[in-house]
Amino acid sequence: MYDPNLQTTLDAAFQSIRAAREAFTPTLQAREVGHVSNVATGIAHVTGLPNVGFEELVKFPGELYGIAFDLGETDIGVVLLGDYWHLQAGDEVERTGRVMDVPVGNDLLGRVINPLGEALDDRGSLVCAQRLPIERPAAPIMDRDPVSVPLQTGIKVIDALVPIGRGQRELILGDRQTGKTTIAVDTILNQHDQNVVCIYCAIGQRASAVAKVVASLREHGAMAYTTVVVTEGNDPPGLTYIAPYAATSIAEHFMHQGHDVLIVYDDLTNHARAYRELSLLLRRPPGREAFPGDIFYVHSRLLERATHLRPSFGGGSLTALPIIETEAQNMSAYIPTNLISITDGQIYLSPKLFELGVLPAVDVGRSVSRVGSKAQLADYRKVAGSLKLAYAQFEELEGFARFGTRLDDNTRKILAHGQRIRACLQQAEHAPVPVAAQINLLRALSEGKFDDVPLEQMQAAEQQVYAAAGFRPLP
C-alpha cells in the first residue's frame, strides 16, 4: 500500500544526502614518510625524508619522538626522546613540521616534570594552554639592562664575599660530594618571600638524589614557587641533552612576564657527557677529551639566555646557577674552563675545607663574582669590604704558621681575626640567614668584636648578636 508520508521522508533523506555529496570537497594532505634504517643507543638513522629540517621533530611508532640532528645526503641521524626498545629497521617515520617544544605557564609551579612536559609526580597530567620551543634565541644586547638588584642566597659567605645579582650567571664547581647541590637548594629556599620563581633542572641525576631535593623543597614550602625538571641517569641521552633547554624555556616564559627567575642546572657535566655520547654515536669527529668541537657553543647558547631585561620589555630577569663537577680539583679541564669563560664568576667548593668541616666549603680565594658587587646592597659593601682581604691574608699566613715559625703579635692578631671570620661564615644546610641578621653579624665581625671570644664559643656569640638585633635563634 502506497504511503505518501514514507515517500516524503525518503525524498527528504535522499535530498540531504545529495546536498552533502555536492557540498563535499575532498582535501589532499601531503604526508612525508620515511623508514628507519638502523637503531643504536639513543639514536636512529632514517631514510626517505629529504625535506626534513635541522632539529625538526619526527614521529616514530608508539608515540616516540625524535629530533633530526644530522642531515646527510641519503639519511638523517635522529636523537630519540624516549624508550626506543620497540623500534626496528623498516618502521615508518613521519615528519611533524615543528620543532621540539615544552608546555609553559603557572600550572607548572609545584610540579615535577620531564623535559617533554610529562608529569612525574602524583598530581595528575598537565594541561597547559601555551607551549614554547626549547631552542630560542637569547635576548639581543639592546633589550638588556645592567644587573642592579642582588639575588640573596641566605648563605653568609656568598652574600658577603661572592655576591650574585639578578640576571647573572654564576658557576658552582667542585669535586663530588662537596656541597654544590646544597648551595643551589639553599638559594631556592631563601626565595620564599623574595618574589622569585625558581626552576631546578636535574640532569642525569640518581633518582634518590632528585627525590631528596624535592623532599627538601616540599618540607620548607619552596615547591609553591618552584618547578623541577628531571632526567635520571638511566634516561636516553636525548632526554638528558634537551633537559636544560626545556627548563630554560619554562623560565623565560616567567621572565618575559616581568618576573625574576632563578634556574639551577644540576649539573652540566652530565649534559656535556650526554652530548658527547650522541655526537660519537652519530659519527661526528671527536676533539679534546673526545668532546665534539661545538660543545662550547652548546653551553654558551644556553647560558646566554640568562639576562636582565630592560623595563620596556617587562624588566624580568633570569639568573643561572650552572653546576659543574671537577675531578681531583682540576679547574683547568676542558668543560670547567669553557663554563668559567661563559659565566660571570664562579663559586669554588674545596674538598679540603669540606674535610675540615668548614661548611659551606667555599674557597674564597678561588671564587669570584664579576657582576654581583655592582648589585650588592650598600650596607654589605660597608661591612664586608675588608673581609675578603683579611680572610685572604689569614689563609696565606695560616700556611706559614703550620711550620711552627715564631710569630709576632701583629701576625697572631691577623690569624685570630681570620679564624673568627671562618667561624662566622660557617653555616648549616637549609638554614638561610636573613639580610639584616647577616649585616649585623658582619658589622660586629669587621669591627673586631669577636676577636677576644674563644673559638669554641663563637656559635653562642653569633646567636647573641642575632638576639640583640631582634632575630630568633638561627641554626
Side-chain angles (χ1 to χ4, degrees):
M1 181 178 178
Y2 175 74
D3 187 351
N5 292 331
L6 178 60
Q7 184 65 37
T8 303
T9 302
L10 289 173
D11 289 344
F14 286 125
Q15 181 64 29
S16 62
I17 292 172
R18 188 180 302 110
R21 185 193 66 196
E22 292 173 353
F24 173 72
T25 303
T27 58
L28 297 177
Q29 184 177 5
R31 290 176 66 238
E32 199 169 327
V33 177
H35 295 87
V36 176
S37 59
N38 64 72
V39 182
T41 305
I43 66 163
H45 287 276
V46 175
T47 58
L49 295 176
N51 297 319
V52 72
F54 179 62
E55 292 191 346
E56 181 179 338
L57 208 60
V58 294
K59 186 177 180 181
F60 294 86
E63 294 299 315
L64 173 65
Y65 288 90
I67 298 176
F69 223 59
D70 265 0
L71 305 183
E73 292 184 6
T74 58
D75 67 351
I76 61 171
V78 178
V79 173
L80 301 174
L81 303 177
D83 290 332
Y84 51 87
W85 307 113
H86 63 281
L87 273 193
Q88 297 179 356
D91 285 346
E92 283 193 351
V93 186
E94 183 181 351
R95 286 185 63 188
T96 63
R98 62 188 179 90
V99 296
M100 179 63 200
D101 54 23
V102 66
V104 297
N106 292 333
D107 291 336
L108 291 179
L109 294 178
R111 303 301 300 270
V112 181
I113 63 172
N114 68 8
L116 302 177
E118 299 168 345
L120 299 178
D121 52 20
D122 55 358
R123 295 177 52 190
S125 59
L126 281 166
V127 180
C128 293
Q130 188 177 356
R131 300 180 73 91
L132 288 178
I134 64 169
E135 292 269 15
R136 306 178 71 209
I141 292 176
M142 297 305 294
D143 296 352
R144 304 184 182 211
D145 229 22
V147 174
S148 56
V149 179
L151 181 89
Q152 300 297 150
T153 66
I155 302 170
K156 294 174 286 188
V157 64
I158 294 177
D159 289 343
L161 305 181
V162 198
I164 301 172
R166 298 189 182 186
Q168 187 175 345
R169 298 156 296 187
E170 185 79 4
L171 179 65
I172 302 173
L173 76 164
D175 286 8
R176 289 186 72 245
Q177 301 296 321
T178 51
K180 300 184 296 297
T181 299
T182 300
I183 283 183
V185 172
D186 285 355
T187 303
I188 293 175
L189 297 182
N190 196 52
Q191 309 310 312
H192 61 90
D193 56 355
Q194 305 293 323
N195 196 26
V196 175
V197 176
C198 299
I199 312 293
Y200 177 79
C201 181
I203 307 170
Q205 298 290 327
R206 301 189 314 275
S208 58
V210 177
K212 181 181 177 182
V213 169
V214 173
S216 296
L217 294 175
R218 282 187 175 142
E219 180 184 350
H220 294 84
M223 283 301 289
Y225 53 86
T226 304
T227 300
V228 180
V229 182
V230 177
T231 59
E232 297 175 5
N234 59 347
D235 283 338
L239 274 182
T240 303
Y241 168 68
I242 69 169
Y245 298 101
T248 306
S249 288
I250 295 170
E252 281 181 329
H253 170 75
F254 292 107
M255 177 181 71
H256 288 295
Q257 288 184 333
H259 293 285
D260 291 312
V261 188
L262 168 67
I263 185 166
V264 175
Y265 304 108
D266 189 8
D267 63 35
L268 290 184
T269 307
N270 289 332
H271 183 248
R273 288 170 182 161
Y275 186 66
R276 175 172 62 182
E277 180 180 351
L278 293 172
S279 297
L280 294 176
L281 287 167
L282 291 168
R283 305 296 183 186
R284 292 184 175 181
R288 179 179 167 188
E289 298 176 25
F291 287 101
D294 60 345
I295 188 66
F296 180 90
Y297 174 63
V298 164
H299 286 154
S300 64
R301 77 172 187 260
L302 170 70
L303 293 170
E304 276 297 319
R305 294 163 71 176
T307 186
H308 179 210
L309 296 176
R310 289 168 53 191
S312 56
F313 291 92
S317 70
L318 176 55
T319 308
L321 293 181
I323 296 175
I324 275 289
E325 181 182 298
T326 56
E327 296 180 356
Q329 307 177 53
N330 185 14
M331 291 176 64
S332 61
Y334 187 32
I335 300 302
T337 49
N338 274 355
L339 283 155
I340 287 171
S341 62
I342 294 168
T343 51
D344 307 313
Q346 71 271 353
I347 297 170
Y348 177 71
L349 300 180
S350 166
K352 293 180 180 177
L353 291 176
F354 189 87
E355 291 165 4
L356 291 171
V358 179
L359 301 176
V362 176
D363 188 328
V364 176
R366 295 188 183 185
S367 302
V368 64
S369 175
R370 302 186 187 97
V371 177
S373 58
K374 305 274 186 189
Q376 194 176 28
L377 296 174
D379 287 339
Y380 271 107
R381 289 198 291 272
K382 289 178 184 175
V383 299
S386 61
L387 279 184
K388 191 163 188 177
L389 178 60
Y391 194 67
Q393 288 177 330
F394 156 70
E395 288 186 321
E396 289 290 330
L397 288 172
E398 190 180 35
F400 289 107
R402 289 197 186 100
F403 295 110
T405 51
R406 297 181 63 182
L407 306 174
D408 57 52
D409 291 341
N410 186 46
T411 304
R412 288 197 191 93
K413 195 172 181 181
I414 293 173
L415 285 171
H417 185 56
Q419 288 169 344
R420 272 72 183 171
I421 294 175
R422 176 181 285 173
C424 277
L425 294 181
Q426 292 187 49
Q427 190 170 338
E429 67 175 346
H430 305 337
V433 180
V435 172
Q438 287 191 40
I439 290 173
N440 278 282
L441 178 69
L442 295 172
R443 178 177 288 116
L445 187 60
S446 62
E447 293 176 358
K449 303 296 185 184
F450 293 117
D451 288 355
D452 296 328
V453 177
L455 281 175
E456 60 272 12
Q457 296 180 16
M458 279 298 299
Q459 188 172 5
E462 182 180 339
Q463 295 297 333
Q464 288 179 1
V465 171
Y466 294 149
F471 293 95
R472 59 177 176 79
L474 297 170

